C-alpha cells in the first residue's frame, strides 16, 4: 500500500513536471531572447548576453509614454470599477429588497455577455457621443465592462463580513455610508485588493477595447502600442520585442506577486468563483 | 439593549431572515438603494445602450462609407439573410465552434481539472513550480502571449526544434494548422483559470469521504468517477460556462497571432465581425453578426443562471 502510494506520487510529479515544462518553454524564450542581440524564434541561451535590447526600447515613444498611458487608463478604470462596485455591493449585501434578486441575476447575466460583440455598437455610440479617441470615454467603458464581475465578487467578499458590528454602529447613529467606510471596508480590504488587482491585470492585458476606441499614437496604452510597433512591419526585431514584452509585463507580475504573498493569490479568486 | 434607537429606514433585517421590504416606506427603500446608482448609470449608458443600439443597427444598412453612410434605412432581415447565406460567415461559425471545443471544453477544462487533481498528490516543490508556470502564462498580457506562442509555433520555433530532436518532421504550424495552433495557444493562456476553480472546489471535499471509498476498495479511476467528480459537479458546470463564454469572445490572441489567416482559416466570429464592420465599413452587417454573438452568449449565460438557481433551490 505504501509502495503504491509512493509510486502514484512519483507518477503525479513526473506528469506535472512534463506539463510544467511545456508551459515554461514559451516563457523561457522571452527571457533569453530579451538579452540576445541576434535573437531568433527558438529557445536558446545567448552566447553574449547583453542589455542592448532594453536600452533600444527604453525611450519615450516606445516605452515610457505607452506604459504611462496604460497606468492612467487601467488605473483610472480599475479605481472607477472598484468605487462603483463597493457602493453597489453594500446595499446588495446588507439589505434585502425585492430589487436585489433581479439585479444580481442581471449582473450575473452581464458577466456572460461577450464584450467583444458589444464593441461594434460601442464604437457607433462613441462616434455619436464624440467620445472616440478620448481617455475619459475609454476609461468609463472599460470600467463598465469590468463592473458586473467586480460587483459580484465584491458582494461575495462583503457577505463574509458579519453584520453585527454595523448594527452597533447604527445604534450609535452612524449612517450607512459611514458604517461602510469605518467598519466594513477595513474588515474586507484583502477582498477589495483581490478584486482591484485582478480588474487591473485584466485591463492591462486587454487589447481590443483600447485598440478600437483610441486612435492617436500618443494616447495608446502599452497593450496596443506593442502591436503597432512590432506587429505591422514585417519581420520584427525579436530581441527588442522580447525586451519590450518583459517591461510591459513587469507591472502585472509585481502586482500578482504582491497578491500571492499577502492575499493567498489567485486561489482566493478561485474560491470566490467556484460557486 | 432595551430600546430600538436606530431609525427604521437604515435598519437592515437580521441577515438570517431578511424580509421583503414590504412594510417599509418606498422612499426609504429607494434611499438605501441609492449607492447602486453609479453602477446602474454606467451599465445603462455603456452596456445597455450599446446593446439596444446593436439591436437597432443590425436591421439597417448603416455603413461608414457609401450609401449606408449618407442615409441609413431599415433593411429588415437582410443582414441576417446575407450572413447565413455567406460562406465566410458559416466558416467563422464553424471555426468558432472548433476553437471553443478544443481550447475551452476539452483543453482548458480537462487540463485544469487534471492539474488540480495531480497537484493534490505531488510534492510541494513540483506543485509550486507548475502552479507558477501555469499562472504566469495566464497573467501575461494577451498580445505578449500571442507573440510568445507565435514564436513557439513558427517554422524556426521551439516546437519544431523539439519535434526534430525526436525525429519527427516540423512545419510552420501557424500556416499548416492555424486553428489548432491558436486553440493550443488559448489552452496555454487560459488553463490557469480552470485549475484555480478546480483547486478551490477539490480542497472542500472532506478527506474522509475519499479515504472511506479507498477502504472499500475503489481504485483510482473509479474513485475519481464515482466519488470525487460528483462532489464537484457544480464547479464543473460553473467553470464550463465561464470558460466557454470567455473563449467565444477571444479576439486579441488570434488577431495578433494570425489575423484570422492564412486566408480565413482561423477567422473566428469576433474576427469576422471586426473585418466586416471596420475593414469593410459595413456597420449594419457587423452589428448583425455582433447580435448573433450576443444571442449565443445570452443563451449560454441563461443556461448558467438556471444551473446556479436549481442548485441553490
Amino acid at each position: 500500500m505504501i509502495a503504491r502510494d509512493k509510486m502514484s506520487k512519483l507518477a503525479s510529479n513526473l506528469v506535472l513536471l512534463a506539463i510544467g515544462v511545456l508551459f515554461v518553454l514559451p516563457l523561457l524564450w522571452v527571457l533569453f531572447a530579451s538579452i540576445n542581440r541576434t535573437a531568433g524564434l527558438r529557445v536558446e541561451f545567448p552566447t553574449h548576453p547583453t542589455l542592448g535590447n532594453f536600452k533600444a526600447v527604453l525611450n519615450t515613444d516606445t516605452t515610457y509614454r505607452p506604459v504611462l498611458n496604460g497606468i492612467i487608463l487601467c488605473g483610472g478604470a480599475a479605481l472607477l470599477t472598484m468605487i462603483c462596485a463597493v457602493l453597489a455591493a453594500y446595499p446588495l449585501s446588507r439589505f434585502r429588497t425585492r430589487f436585489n434578486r433581479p439585479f444580481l441575476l442581471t449582473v450575473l447575466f452581464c458577466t456572460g455577455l461577450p464584450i467583444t460583440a458589444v464593441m461594434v455598437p460601442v464604437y457607433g455610440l462613441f462616434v455619436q457621443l464624440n467620445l472616440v479617441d478620448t481617455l475619459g470615454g475609454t476609461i468609463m467603458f472599460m470600467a463598465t465592462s469590468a463592473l458586473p464581475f467586480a460587483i459580484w465578487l465584491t458582494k461575495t467578499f462583503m457577505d463574509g463580513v458579519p453584520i453585527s458590528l454595523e448594527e452597533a454602529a447604527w445604534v450609535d447613529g452612524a449612517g450607512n455610508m459611514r458604517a461602510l467606510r469605518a467598519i466594513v471596508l477595513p474588515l474586507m480590504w484583502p477582498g477589495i485588493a483581490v478584486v482591484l488587482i485582478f480588474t487591473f491585470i485584466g485591463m492591462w492585458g486587454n487589447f481590443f477595447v483600447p485598440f478600437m476606441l483610441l486612435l492617436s499614437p500618443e494616447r495608446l496604452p502599452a497593450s496596443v502600442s506593442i502591436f503597432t510597433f512590432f506587429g505591422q512591419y514585417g519581420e520584427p526585431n525579436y530581441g527588442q520585442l522580447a525586451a519590450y514584452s518583459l517591461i510591459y509585463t513587469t507591472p502585472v507580475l509585481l502586482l500578482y506577486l504582491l497578491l500571492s504573498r499577502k492575499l493567498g493569490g489567485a486561489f482566493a479568486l478561485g474560491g470566490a468563483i467556484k460557486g | 439593549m432595551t430600546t430600538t434607537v436606530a431609525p427604521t429606514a437604515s435598519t437592515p433585517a437580521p441577515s438570517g431572515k431578511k424580509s421583503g421590504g414590504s412594510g417599509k416606506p418606498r422612499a426609504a427603500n429607494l434611499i438605501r438603494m441609492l449607492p447602486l446608482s453609479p453602477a446602474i448609470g454606467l451599465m445603462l449608458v455603456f452596456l445597455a445602450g450599446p446593446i439596444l443600439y446593436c439591436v437597432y443597427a443590425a436591421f439597417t444598412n448603416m455603413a461608414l462609407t457609401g450609401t449606408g453612410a449618407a442615409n441609413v434605412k431599415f433593411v429588415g432581415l437582410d443582414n441576417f439573410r446575407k450572413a447565413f447565406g455567406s460562406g465566410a460567415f458559416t466558416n467563422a461559425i464553424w471555426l468558432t465552434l472548433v476553437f471553443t471545443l478544443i481550447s475551452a471544453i476539452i483543453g482548458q477544462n480537462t487540463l485544469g481539472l487534471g492539474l488540480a487533481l495531480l497537484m493534490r498528490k505531488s510534492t510541494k516543490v513540483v506543485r509550486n513550480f507548475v502552479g507558477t508556470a501555469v499562472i504566469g502564462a495566464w497573467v501575461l498580457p494577451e498580445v505578449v502571449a500571442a507573440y510568445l506562442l507565435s514564436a513557439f509555433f513558427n517554422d524556426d520555433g521551439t516546437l519544431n526544434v523539439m519535434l526534430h530532436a525526436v525525429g519527427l518532421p516540423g512545419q510552420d504550424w501557424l500556416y499548416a494548422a492555424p486553428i489548432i495552433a491558436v486553440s493550443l495557444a488559448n489552452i496555454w493562456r487560459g488553463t490557469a483559470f480552470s485549475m484555480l476553480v478546480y483547486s478551490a472546489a477539490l480542497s472542500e471535499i472532506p478527506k474522509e469521504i475519499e479515504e472511506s471509498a479507498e477502504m472499500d476498495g475503489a481504485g483510482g479511476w473509479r474513485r475519481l468517477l464515482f466519488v470525487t467528480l460528483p462532489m464537484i459537479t457544480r464547479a464543473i458546470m460553473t467553470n464550463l460556462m465561464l470558460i466557454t463564454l470567455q473563449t467565444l469572445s477571444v479576439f486579441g490572441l488570434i488577431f495578433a497571432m494570425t489575423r484570422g489567416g492564412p486566408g480565413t482559416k482561423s477567422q473566428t466570429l469576433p474576427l469576422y465581425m471586426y473585418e466586416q464592420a471596420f475593414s469593410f465599413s459595413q456597420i449594419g452587417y457587423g452589428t448583425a453578426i455582433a447580435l448573433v454573438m450576443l444571442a449565443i452568449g445570452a443563451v449560454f449565460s441563461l443556461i448558467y443562471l438556471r444551473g446556479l438557481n436549481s442548485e441553490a433551490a
Side-chain angles (χ1 to χ4, degrees):
Chain A
M1 199 67 182
I2 292 181
R4 226 185 104 186
D5 266 6
K6 274 211 167 128
M7 279 303 289
S8 86
K9 191 161 182 172
L10 183 70
S12 303
N13 280 330
L14 286 178
V15 175
L16 268 183
L17 270 180
I19 299 174
V21 167
L22 282 177
F23 273 86
V24 161
L25 277 176
L27 294 171
L28 275 187
W29 176 80
V30 76
L31 285 181
F32 291 166
S34 70
I35 50 169
N36 187 348
R37 194 181 293 281
T38 57
L41 287 165
R42 64 187 58 180
V43 177
E44 54 185 348
F45 195 79
T47 37
H48 301 290
T50 165
L51 290 178
N53 291 326
F54 288 93
K55 285 208 192 91
V57 296
L58 279 176
N59 56 57
T60 310
D61 278 349
T62 318
T63 303
Y64 298 131
R65 200 177 45 215
V67 168
L68 187 68
N69 283 341
I71 291 173
I72 295 171
L73 195 68
C74 306
L79 270 182
L80 184 59
T81 305
M82 210 55 236
I83 293 170
C84 292
V86 167
L87 285 175
Y90 188 73
L92 291 173
S93 165
R94 272 15 190 182
F95 313 119
R96 177 57 55 95
T97 67
R98 264 165 298 179
F99 176 68
N100 279 23
R101 199 177 145 76
F103 185 79
L104 278 171
L105 285 178
T106 312
V107 164
L108 253 189
F109 177 73
C110 288
T111 59
L113 291 180
I115 289 299
T116 317
V118 190
M119 285 317 292
V120 176
V122 163
Y123 184 81
L125 185 78
F126 268 49
V127 171
Q128 311 241 306
L129 297 177
N130 238 341
L131 285 173
V132 175
D133 204 24
T134 60
L135 278 178
T138 313
I139 286 177
M140 284 200 275
F141 178 71
M142 285 178 89
T144 311
S145 61
L147 203 50
F149 194 49
I151 292 178
W152 184 256
L153 276 183
T154 311
K155 183 197 169 280
T156 310
F157 282 120
M158 203 178 272
D159 286 344
V161 178
I163 201 168
S164 49
L165 293 166
E166 281 155 88
E167 281 167 342
W170 279 318
V171 171
D172 291 341
N176 284 335
M177 287 302 106
R178 217 176 121 206
L180 172 64
R181 202 175 60 234
I183 297 167
V184 183
L185 285 187
L187 284 173
M188 63 173 293
W189 72 264
I192 301 268
V194 168
V195 182
L196 186 64
I197 291 177
F198 271 104
T199 307
F200 184 86
I201 291 180
M203 290 172 173
W204 188 255
N206 189 317
F207 164 76
F208 198 34
V209 174
F211 177 65
M212 300 265 328
L213 299 181
L214 296 173
L215 308 169
S216 324
E218 66 271 13
R219 294 204 185 89
L220 293 181
S223 59
V224 181
S225 70
I226 184 179
F227 179 76
T228 48
F229 282 141
F230 298 106
Q232 295 188 328
Y233 313 107
E235 189 91 334
N237 180 327
Y238 291 111
Q240 290 182 15
L241 172 61
Y244 183 76
S245 299
L246 277 183
I247 297 169
Y248 164 42
T249 308
T250 308
V252 291
L253 282 186
L254 290 180
L255 279 177
Y256 186 76
L257 233 64
L258 177 81
L259 196 70
S260 55
R261 282 288 139 78
K262 299 278 182 207
L263 305 162
F267 290 91
L269 187 78
I273 292 169
K274 58 114 190 37
Chain B
M1 214 181 301
T2 44
T3 46
T4 39
V5 192
T8 8
S10 60
T11 311
S15 46
K17 40 170 181 171
K18 288 175 183 170
S19 60
S22 47
K24 296 189 181 105
R26 208 158 253 273
N29 252 336
L30 274 180
I31 290 174
R32 295 197 316 195
M33 289 297 149
L34 207 58
L36 278 166
S37 48
I40 295 179
L42 276 180
M43 280 160 60
L44 279 180
V45 176
F46 291 103
L47 209 57
I51 291 174
L52 288 178
Y53 185 77
C54 187
V55 174
Y56 155 74
F59 298 95
T60 69
N61 66 344
M62 196 183 291
L64 293 176
T65 54
T67 43
N71 54 353
V72 178
K73 63 169 193 275
F74 276 93
V75 292
L77 290 171
D78 275 6
N79 288 325
F80 295 94
R81 265 189 225 114
K82 182 181 163 195
F84 286 99
S86 120
F89 177 78
T90 339
N91 173 56
I93 295 258
W94 270 113
L95 288 175
T96 310
L97 284 177
V98 171
F99 180 67
T100 308
L101 189 73
I102 297 182
S103 73
I105 296 174
I106 297 176
Q108 291 180 10
N109 184 53
T110 319
L111 189 58
L113 179 61
L115 282 169
L117 285 167
L118 286 170
M119 278 179 160
R120 300 197 304 168
K121 288 209 276 174
S122 60
T123 29
K124 199 167 176 225
V125 189
V126 177
R127 191 161 59 229
N128 286 344
F129 163 72
V130 178
T132 311
V134 176
I135 292 175
W138 182 53
V139 177
L140 281 191
E142 203 172 14
V143 180
V144 172
Y147 283 141
L148 296 199
L149 289 152
S150 297
F152 186 73
F153 288 117
N154 194 281
D155 217 357
D156 302 321
T158 311
L159 178 61
N160 281 344
V161 174
M162 282 164 39
L163 290 177
H164 290 316
V166 293
L168 289 169
Q171 51 195 316
D172 192 335
W173 297 98
L174 288 173
Y175 195 79
I179 194 69
I180 304 290
V182 294
S183 299
L184 291 175
N186 195 42
I187 295 177
W188 184 81
R189 183 173 140 76
T191 297
F193 184 85
S194 304
M195 181 187 84
L196 294 169
V197 171
Y198 287 133
S199 290
L202 288 173
S203 70
E204 282 178 9
I205 298 180
K207 273 254 182 307
E208 303 83 55
I209 294 188
E210 291 187 307
E211 274 165 13
S212 66
E214 196 172 353
M215 289 298 180
D216 294 341
W221 287 110
R222 286 175 58 99
R223 207 158 65 232
L224 177 67
L225 209 58
F226 295 112
V227 183
T228 313
L229 289 187
M231 298 203 65
I232 57 166
T233 343
R234 192 181 155 136
I236 296 177
M237 287 310 296
T238 308
N239 185 55
L240 274 177
M241 290 320 296
L242 291 178
I243 60 174
T244 304
L245 288 164
Q246 285 164 12
T247 307
L248 280 176
S249 55
V250 167
F251 177 86
L253 187 75
I254 305 179
F255 191 67
M257 278 181 83
T258 67
R259 301 255 182 148
T264 55
K265 276 186 172 170
S266 59
Q267 192 179 52
T268 55
L269 219 40
L271 281 98
Y272 179 64
M273 175 194 79
Y274 172 81
E275 185 193 63
Q276 294 299 322
F278 295 104
S279 303
F280 301 158
S281 306
Q282 298 299 317
I283 295 283
Y285 184 54
T287 44
I289 300 163
L291 200 59
V292 172
M293 279 176 63
L294 279 173
I296 298 174
V299 169
F300 271 96
S301 212
L302 282 176
I303 300 175
Y304 168 51
L305 283 190
R306 270 191 78 93
L308 280 187
N309 258 345
S310 62
E311 284 283 338

